[in-house]
Amino acid sequence: MDAKKKAATAWLRQQSAQGRKAASGAIVFGLLGTLFGVIQAAAAADLLRALIVRDDQPVLLAAIIFGIAAVLRGLMMMGADAAGFAAGAAGRRRLRSETLNRLLSIGPSLLRQGHSAHLAGIVVDRIEALDGFFARWIPAALMAILAPVMIVVVAAIADPVSALILAACGIFVPFAQAIAGIGAGLAARSQLAAMMRLESRFLDRIRGIGTIVLAGRAEDEAAALRVAADELRVRTMRVLRTAFLSSTALDLAAAVALIGIAIQQGDLILHAAHGAEMAAQSGRALFLLLLVPEMFAPLRAFALAYQDRGAGIAAAEALIVLPEGETDPRFVAEPPAAAPVTVAAHGISVAFEDVHLTWDKARGPALDGVSFRLPAGGAVILAGASGAGKSTVIEILLGFVRPDSGRVLLNGMDMTSIVPQALARLTAWIGQKPVIFATTIGDNIRFAKPEASATELAEAVRLASMDSVIAELPDGLDTMVGEGGFGLSGGQVQRIAIARAFLKNAPLLLLDEPTAHLDPATEAEVLESLKRLAVGRTVIMASHSTQAHMLTGRRLNMAAGRLLLGDAQKGVA
């Protein structure tokens, strides 16, 4: 077993310990169902014995007991299924919450470690694949031990030899399951890997559908997608084929047990009509035969759930490789109520002290000893070519990534001592391509402050110079827009982002190439709105625009992750 699989198995053991409590209801219902199944078998055996010896007296009583036991058993099975579903939902909900918290604590820098479709597949498909582990595997694994032991004990009271046959055949099943399960686990891992590759490829092609069509590669890409889909089909069928092997082994064990007990008890059944004593013994023999399907019912459920364990291991291998999020309790506790108020009242000062950060050693440092100071209410423009490190400075201030060394101070406080919730309240950000949701323009602006009043919203629209645009729309702020800003121009999208910043009214404003992809006239209008937004706020703007000088502030030139010599010596007063 390789190290990755060992780690996944150990992780699943931890999850099993947490999942058993949630699955306890399913186990209790399952054991009660088995008990009523034994009662059913006893009533059915008595009914058959009465029919064989033509004794009409116990027939009605046996039929009533059988019917009551059948109804109660059905209710227990319903309860077990409902409890298993609840356990699966609880396990998935807990894991999805934990995983999303980890991803959010790491921030967008995680996308440098993998495709977004792969990360989405982990949160959705891989965790969804663990539903069977929590809902079926954990209850079935315990039921496969407790229920057969209960039945063997009952059988031993009736006939020790038959109980020994049942026990021997029952013990054979887990060994056969283990052999088949190894292949099923390998097949499940390869099937999930094929699914992730198909998801990533499909998402990439959908995103680039325009480029694909214009390049005349639509047929080629459709053929490649067909190949990937066919690979997934083949691997899925391989999982099913391997799973059928375990069912064959279980049917073989059940057949051997049935034949063994039938041979051992055959004389009693054949001579049931020869006297009252033989009739009673024949009822016991029939009871033992009817216990065989009851014995293997939980083992059959265990066999069906065994592939869920294989799928769980495959899913666990993807989950355990995710980087750990911040575990310091300071990053999950709510900040003191007075801290944000004090900071907001006096503004935010920013200081970088010998900050180093490297994304990829092969590409060199993204930031190499950056140091500067910005007083509260000041502004600085980070200028330089693409790749100079401007956006990395913004990402650090947003809390998406931490420097390898050096310190970043806000009002003299190290950023590592500020909880993310407080940092988010202190910061407004406008990037190159603001995220626009498929909803109304008003809801898109209100995203920055959901509790904002209509008056506050109207004021933010006015300050962002959107009021004339809104007045021309048929539904005003209630006008629906498509995902990504479909139906809006680039300048209108940026004005929505500016209106969000006005509405949020955060003391620290971060601008990352906010006028990129805009024509000169629209860029000048947007910069005028940004000048109004910058008043009274601490502003850091990353831009290589020739018009960025319109925003009053000190200019720091960057290249290869460093401040150029003059700027590095002077810093920002």
Side-chain angles (χ1 to χ4, degrees):
M1 186 184 293
D2 56 36
K4 189 175 181 180
K5 187 174 180 180
K6 286 182 179 178
T9 304
W11 183 84
L12 279 181
R13 279 198 294 268
Q14 295 177 355
Q15 297 302 317
S16 295
Q18 298 182 54
R20 286 192 192 102
K21 184 176 181 180
S24 59
I27 296 168
V28 170
F29 280 118
L31 290 175
L32 289 174
T34 301
L35 176 61
F36 288 123
V38 171
I39 295 173
Q40 263 190 292
D46 198 37
L47 187 61
L48 290 172
R49 182 199 61 78
L51 294 174
I52 291 172
V53 301
R54 297 179 181 178
D55 183 2
D56 296 334
Q57 293 298 326
V59 171
L60 181 59
L61 178 61
I64 293 173
I65 294 174
F66 181 88
I68 293 174
V71 171
L72 292 176
R73 186 182 188 186
L75 293 175
M76 294 304 105
M77 292 174 64
M78 290 175 58
D81 288 343
F85 177 83
R92 285 180 289 128
R93 185 166 53 248
R94 174 175 54 81
L95 278 179
R96 190 164 284 126
S97 176
E98 291 174 359
T99 304
L100 282 172
N101 285 337
R102 286 167 65 184
L103 296 181
L104 290 173
S105 67
I106 297 166
S109 61
L110 183 65
L111 292 178
R112 291 179 170 86
Q113 305 178 29
H115 197 286
S116 59
H118 175 72
L119 297 176
I122 290 175
V123 175
V124 179
D125 295 323
R126 298 273 175 144
I127 292 180
E128 198 66 27
L130 286 166
D131 175 66
F133 179 81
F134 291 108
R136 293 185 292 274
W137 166 256
I138 293 177
L142 292 172
M143 283 293 297
I145 298 172
L146 299 177
V149 168
M150 177 192 298
I151 292 173
V152 168
V153 170
V154 172
I157 296 173
D159 182 57
V161 176
S162 298
L164 185 61
I165 294 173
L166 282 174
C169 293
I171 291 173
F172 166 77
V173 174
F175 289 103
Q177 296 289 13
I179 295 173
I182 293 173
L186 293 173
R189 285 198 295 277
S190 63
Q191 186 252 1
L192 281 174
M195 182 185 296
M196 301 302 290
R197 286 194 294 270
L198 177 61
E199 288 173 343
S200 298
R201 187 179 189 92
F202 184 76
L203 181 58
D204 270 342
R205 273 49 182 183
I206 289 296
R207 285 173 173 170
I209 190 68
T211 302
I212 291 172
V213 172
L214 292 174
R217 295 296 305 276
E219 292 296 330
D220 295 337
E221 290 300 329
L225 283 172
R226 280 196 297 271
V227 171
D230 191 61
E231 179 193 7
L232 177 61
R233 177 189 63 80
V234 171
R235 294 182 184 274
T236 301
M237 296 306 296
R238 194 171 296 162
V239 172
L240 296 175
R241 185 176 63 216
T242 308
F244 285 140
L245 293 176
S246 61
S247 178
T248 302
L250 189 143
D251 291 336
L252 177 63
V256 170
L258 189 63
I259 293 171
I261 294 176
I263 292 173
Q264 201 259 337
Q265 300 288 333
D267 288 342
L268 296 176
I269 298 174
L270 292 174
H271 298 89
H274 297 169
E277 182 179 351
M278 292 296 290
Q281 291 179 351
S282 68
R284 183 190 64 189
L286 290 169
F287 172 64
L288 291 169
L289 286 174
L290 292 174
L291 282 182
V292 173
E294 296 297 333
M295 170 76 178
F296 287 93
L299 295 176
R300 190 177 300 279
F302 175 76
L304 293 174
Y306 200 86
Q307 59 185 336
D308 290 319
R309 180 179 180 273
I313 292 176
E317 289 178 354
L319 289 167
I320 60 176
V321 297
L322 288 176
E324 288 294 335
E326 186 59 60
T327 56
D328 193 318
R330 295 173 301 176
F331 286 78
V332 295
E334 189 67 18
V341 176
T342 303
V343 171
H346 297 87
I348 295 285
S349 64
V350 179
F352 273 57
E353 296 182 351
D354 194 27
V355 174
H356 295 256
L357 176 64
T358 300
W359 296 113
D360 184 354
K361 292 183 179 180
R363 297 167 55 189
L367 294 181
D368 189 9
V370 172
S371 297
F372 67 86
R373 293 183 179 276
L374 179 62
V380 64
I381 300 170
L382 301 176
S386 296
K390 308 184 300 296
S391 295
T392 304
V393 171
I394 300 294
E395 289 185 350
I396 289 177
L397 288 169
L398 287 170
F400 291 161
V401 65
R402 289 188 174 186
D404 299 329
S405 62
R407 295 197 306 165
V408 179
L409 307 177
L410 300 181
N411 275 9
M413 297 174 60
D414 196 309
M415 277 191 63
T416 59
S417 66
I418 303 175
V419 295
Q421 295 92 332
L423 183 62
R425 286 195 290 269
L426 298 174
T427 309
W429 170 76
I430 301 175
Q432 298 180 31
K433 296 181 179 180
V435 176
I436 302 297
F437 303 99
T439 182
T440 66
I441 292 178
D443 286 341
N444 268 291
I445 298 174
R446 198 179 271 111
F447 182 77
K449 188 179 178 182
E451 71 278 8
S453 65
T455 303
E456 291 175 312
L457 180 61
E459 180 66 10
V461 168
R462 185 187 67 79
L463 292 172
S465 298
M466 278 194 69
D467 43 355
S468 59
V469 176
I470 297 299
E472 295 175 359
L473 297 174
D475 297 321
L477 287 172
D478 293 328
T479 301
M480 294 292 297
V481 296
E483 184 178 355
F486 184 78
L488 299 174
S489 68
Q492 289 170 339
V493 168
Q494 287 299 95
R495 290 187 185 282
I496 289 177
I498 294 171
R500 284 175 178 169
F502 272 115
L503 188 63
K504 188 174 184 180
N505 195 26
L508 177 60
L509 177 62
L510 304 177
L511 307 173
D512 187 7
E513 303 281 6
T515 59
H517 315 301
L518 299 180
D519 61 82
T522 304
E523 181 183 20
E525 293 175 359
V526 169
L527 283 171
E528 283 294 338
S529 298
L530 290 175
K531 286 175 66 176
R532 290 194 296 273
L533 178 61
V535 174
R537 294 180 173 85
T538 303
V539 182
I540 297 180
M541 178 177 179
S543 177
H544 56 254
S545 168
T546 56
Q547 295 199 43
H549 66 275
M550 292 177 61
L551 187 68
T552 304
R554 177 69 180 275
R555 181 184 178 97
L556 294 180
N557 295 297
M558 298 187 68
R562 295 185 177 186
L563 295 178
L564 297 185
L565 183 60
D567 296 318
Q569 290 174 341
K570 296 176 183 178
V572 179

